[in-house]
Amino acid sequence: MPATTRALPASQDLEEIIISETMIKRRVRKLGQEITAAYGEEEVTVVAIINGALLFTADLLREIRCPIRLDCIRVSSYRNETRAAGKPEIVHSLTIDIANRHVLLIDDILDTGKTLSVVVNLIKKLKPASVKTCVLLDKKGRREVEYAADFVGFDIPDQFVVGYGLDFAERYRNLPCIGVLKPHLQNPPEWA
Ligand code: IMP
Ligand code: MG
């Protein structure tokens, strides 16, 4: 088999692929068109939540035709609910000024809604002209804090998924598709 078509070793750890590479590419292109139409000629300040949004942001930005400024923000999310405060904390904040700018916040997945609400509250304090959010995946059934994203790639059921930026303990981010890990690999379920 030619090296270019060989499966990634990590893909053997998937029980099921729920979103293929082709589906991702098609949807990311459409999302880029939707975002371009929403902002027109306006400059957009993109804020990506890393590490999860890295791959999605890199592909999406190339489908957006508006002028773009880019910054990243790093948030610690404590997946283990037994830990005292399950509130996400900003580990590394913005480095560019967003006052009076149109901010588009990008994350890989909207789950309980805690991460995006914390980041949006921080951004709003910095007096942007507007704030919109875009997520690749939305697990609407898991919401603990009410939150609706402006642009959503795919609605997915309540399953723990990896690939295309999403990790399990920092692994699997490089899978080109999105899938569910085999059950024995999800143990212990420490969602990093
Ligand atoms: P929220 O604060 O509960 O909405 O969670 C958002 C963060 O949790 C995301 O940025 C991901 O890092 C992580 N997360 C939630 N669900 C999953 C999943 O199914 N796979 C991988 N990471 C997830
Ligand atoms: Mg993560």
Side-chain angles (χ1 to χ4, degrees):
M1 203 192 287
T4 47
T5 57
R6 202 180 296 143
L8 286 173
S11 63
Q12 294 159 3
D13 292 356
L14 295 183
E15 175 87 348
E16 184 195 355
I17 293 174
I18 61 164
I19 307 173
S20 70
E21 187 174 358
T22 311
M23 286 165 75
I24 294 174
K25 284 201 172 127
R26 202 175 295 148
R27 188 69 190 109
V28 167
R29 193 164 305 141
K30 277 291 283 166
L31 275 175
Q33 290 166 0
E34 286 173 33
I35 292 167
T36 305
Y39 288 99
E41 308 275 291
E42 296 277 7
E43 184 179 69
V44 184
T45 299
V46 170
V47 175
I49 304 182
I50 54 173
N51 294 329
L54 256 178
L55 279 73
F56 175 43
T57 304
D59 288 342
L60 182 62
L61 289 197
R62 283 175 278 192
E63 302 294 341
I64 299 176
R65 303 289 171 234
C66 327
I68 292 279
R69 296 196 310 157
L70 173 66
D71 203 358
C72 293
I73 193 164
R74 187 183 286 273
V75 179
S76 69
S77 56
Y78 299 108
R79 307 303 318 171
N80 187 343
E81 299 302 315
T82 60
R83 268 167 97 147
K87 200 170 176 234
E89 280 165 28
I90 313 282
V91 178
H92 189 279
S93 195
L94 296 168
T95 57
I96 60 176
D97 185 15
I98 59 162
N100 303 313
R101 305 290 186 155
H102 294 289
V103 173
L104 177 63
L105 184 60
I106 302 186
D107 204 1
D108 52 358
I109 186 165
L110 180 48
D111 185 30
T112 64
K114 289 181 191 169
T115 304
L116 279 185
S117 31
V118 163
V119 177
V120 166
N121 283 343
L122 169 99
I123 286 174
K124 282 187 176 160
K125 284 188 191 137
L126 301 170
K127 307 267 181 268
S130 68
V131 190
K132 288 187 192 293
T133 45
C134 173
V135 292
L136 177 67
L137 306 175
D138 191 351
K139 280 193 213 170
K140 290 203 168 72
R142 292 247 318 157
R143 218 64 102 242
E144 289 176 29
V145 179
E146 207 173 309
Y147 197 91
D150 298 278
F151 306 96
V152 174
F154 301 92
D155 283 310
I156 62 161
D158 179 10
Q159 279 176 307
F160 189 80
V161 293
V162 294
Y164 196 64
L166 290 114
D167 73 306
F168 176 73
E170 291 305 323
R171 300 197 178 87
Y172 306 106
R173 292 197 197 271
N174 60 329
L175 288 176
C177 60
I178 291 165
V180 180
L181 270 186
K182 287 183 178 164
H184 71 278
L185 295 167
Q186 292 190 32
N187 210 3
E190 282 251 334
W191 295 2

